[in-house]
């Protein structure tokens, strides 16, 4: 398979990169100085693209690669891939579901605890020597708080299961009601926000869910409410969220994703009621290896004419 | 508080408020009002009378004592209160109370751990996720404007599937176990005695527990037996990837040894709410990203104080009306 050209959209995992290099002719897109010349030169040898949450395969790239057969994403989210275009051209698409579900759910709960109990802030307090001068403030109890989940897919359900162990009443909003669960369904995100203490974004990013957390939702969540985003930055109207946080119209936020990563609004750096993470939802040694193996497995299966492991299209 | 003293009817049961001058009950008005409407609170520090004569004058009427925070109750104090039958502790730990002296006098002690257990357990789980997934360190990375420069943040470690060893399976240990089970962790524990009602694997000592765990969470009281129970041997048994979470008391751990192990990479990380000499924290820990430091705040939420007030009032009311007490300390 060494002659098969694989285009890796951006750096994402050294092990994956190494393995792709061993098995295929790997092109590292981020190292190419002149992308359009590169594409013209190599368009007939590239048969696969490996993308992730930052960069995938948009319509322009797909058009530039006439021999493209498969896009394998090192992520579960597909928002960086033009799925309609892939369907149209018969290009296969795979992602990495299930293997990262637990880590993302763990991080969501970790963010809830970090925001409510001010773990990062009080760690800063100790490291700066302030504890010698006085005790840190009271924080807010997490157990028993009402958790509202936007999107009750694999990740949403895993978050619910964990939050239940903290006696948190669970409610949710999703495209359709899931009658097989016992959790309370709200037909709109605004109603969900008005009836919970902690709102978590756990749905996929599509045209419909862009800015699903907007000014109205933020207002409904209220001055004691906390927003947790482990989905995608564009799920939230970021400028609205920032002003709500700065003006204390919302209680706090735990954010793993932002609209223009790696840029994070400066105003957030001065706040003590936010926790800011550099998109590490699936960022564990164990899970990234499992994700890489899934990408490699899907590519191998495709080029050996075997059934794909985790196809989306 | 002082002005109210003279207005209180003498028929109300008397309760001695035992506190160092620098400590006092939380300034929650509804709690103080409620307490004073049901009990005659004797506060030696609010009286112009010298402490010793105040105590001697009231000693024969004092059947219950309310110690504030960690104010010590020694055998000497107990000797000066011949009518004492009940101590209503207001903190999660009891190492400031001479429990053997209480036992021999038949003095009942109620503790407050059930008011705090959920908050302490939440803090323990929060610290563990923070250490494994480097939440505080990553937050520093973002706030330090390093993300656009470095692009990638180092990977953390998966919590699911970890073997968690809990030291002390009381109210706090059980709440921790309940929470971490939902994350797919395997729970094992050690305790003074095996608890038949608990479904988890029991080890008779901390070293064996550590040898079979990836995480050690300390939830037990500090006593003579548990002082430095996590020592060099235990840390070696836990191993290079092991994580220690301490929400008990600083002296459960040999702190000097812990710091050395962390600095030399002999254990994987630590989340600490307590230290041997608070508020002093070993400076060597400040430069480590696999350590999360909390300033003894695990119980500090308004909700746990509300629960504490209910517990205090509940125990006192039950005692003075000869009903069963709410949270008696067992000798298990």
């Amino acid at each position: 398979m060494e002659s098969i050209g694989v285009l890796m959209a951006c750096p994402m995992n050294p092990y994956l990169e190494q393995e792709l290099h061993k098995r295929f002719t790997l092109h590292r897109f981020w190292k190419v100085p002149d992308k359009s010349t590169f594409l013209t030169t190599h368009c007939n040898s590239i048969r696969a693209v490996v993308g992730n949450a930052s960069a995938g395969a948009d319509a322009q790239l797909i058009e530039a690669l006439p021999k493209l057969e498969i896009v394998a994403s090192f992520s579960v989210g597909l928002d960086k891939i033009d799925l309609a275009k892939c369907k149209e051209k018969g290009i296969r698409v795979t992602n990495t579901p299930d293997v990262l579900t637990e880590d993302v759910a763990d991080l969501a709960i970790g963010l809830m605890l970090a925001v409510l109990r001010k773990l990062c802030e009080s760690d800063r307090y100790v490291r700066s020597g302030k504890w010698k001068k006085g005790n840190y403030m009271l924080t807010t109890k997490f157990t028993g708080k009402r958790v509202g989940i936007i999107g009750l897919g694999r990740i949403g359900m895993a978050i619910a299961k964990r939050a239940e162990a903290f006696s948190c009443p669970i409610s949710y909003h999703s495209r359709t009601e899931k009658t097989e669960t016992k959790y309370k369904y709200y037909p709109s995100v605004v109603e969900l926000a008005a009836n919970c203490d902690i709102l978590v974004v756990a749905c996929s990013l599509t045209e419909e869910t862009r800015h699903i957390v907007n000014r109205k939702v933020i207002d409904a969540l209220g001055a004691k409410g906390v927003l947790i985003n482990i989905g995608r930055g564009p799920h939230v109207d970021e400028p609205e969220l920032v002003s709500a946080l700065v003006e204390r119209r919302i209680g706090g936020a735990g954010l793993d994703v932002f609209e223009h990563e790696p840029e994070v609004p400066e105003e957030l750096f001065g706040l003590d009621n936010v926790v800011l993470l550099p998109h590490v939802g699936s960022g564990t040694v164990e899970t990234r290896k499992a994700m890489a193996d899934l990408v490699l497995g899907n590519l191998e299966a495709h080029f050996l004419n075997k059934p794909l492991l985790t196809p989306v299209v | 508080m002082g002005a109210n003293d003279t207005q209180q009817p003498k028929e109300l049961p008397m309760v001695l408020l035992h506190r160092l001058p620098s400590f006092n009950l939380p300034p929650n008005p509804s709690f103080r009002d409620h307490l004073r409407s049901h009990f005659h609170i004797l506060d030696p520090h609010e009286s112009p009378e010298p402490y010793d004569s105040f105590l001697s004058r009231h000693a024969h009427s004092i059947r219950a004592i309310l110690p504030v925070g960690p104010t010590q109750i020694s055998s000497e104090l107990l000797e000066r209160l011949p009518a004492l039958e009940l101590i209503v502790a207001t903190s999660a730990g009891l190492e400031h109370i001479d429990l053997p002296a209480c036992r021999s006098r038949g003095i009942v002690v109620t503790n407050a751990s059930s008011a705090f257990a959920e908050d302490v357990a939440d803090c323990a789980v929060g610290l563990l996720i923070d250490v494994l997934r480097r939440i505080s360190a990553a937050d520093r990375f973002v706030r330090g404007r390093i993300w656009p420069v470095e692009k990638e943040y180092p990977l953390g470690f998966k919590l699911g599937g970890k073997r968690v060893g809990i030291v002390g399976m009381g109210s706090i240990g059980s709440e921790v176990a309940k929470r971490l089970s939902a994350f797919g962790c395997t729970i094992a524990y050690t305790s003074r005695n095996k608890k038949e009602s608990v479904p988890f694997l029991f080890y008779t000592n901390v070293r064996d527990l550590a040898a079979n765990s990836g995480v050690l969470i300390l939830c037990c009281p500090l006593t003579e037996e548990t002082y430095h129970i996590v020592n060099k041997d235990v840390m070696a048994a836990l191993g290079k990837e092991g994580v220690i979470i301490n929400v008990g008391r600083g002296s459960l751990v040999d702190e000097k040894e812990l710091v050395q192990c962390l600095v030399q990479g002999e254990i994987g990380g630590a989340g600490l709410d307590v230290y041997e000499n608070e508020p002093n924290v070993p400076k060597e820990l400040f430069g480590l990203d696999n350590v999360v430091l909390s300033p003894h705040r695990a119980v500090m939420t308004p909700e746990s104080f509300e629960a504490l007030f209910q517990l205090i009032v509940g125990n006192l009311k039950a005692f003075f009306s000869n009903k069963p007490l709410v949270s008696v300390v067992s000798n298990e």
Side-chain angles (χ1 to χ4, degrees), chain B residues 161-179:
Chain B
K162 279 254 185 298
R163 294 176 303 167
V164 171
I166 300 177
V167 180
M169 193 49 84
S171 47
I172 295 171
S174 335
E175 294 290 346
V176 172
K178 176 178 158 207
R179 283 151 179 70

Side-chain angles (χ1 to χ4, degrees), chain B residues 278-290:
Chain B
E278 295 170 18
N280 298 297
V281 175
K283 284 193 296 296
E284 299 92 314
L285 300 180
F286 294 168
L288 300 176
D289 275 355
N290 59 343

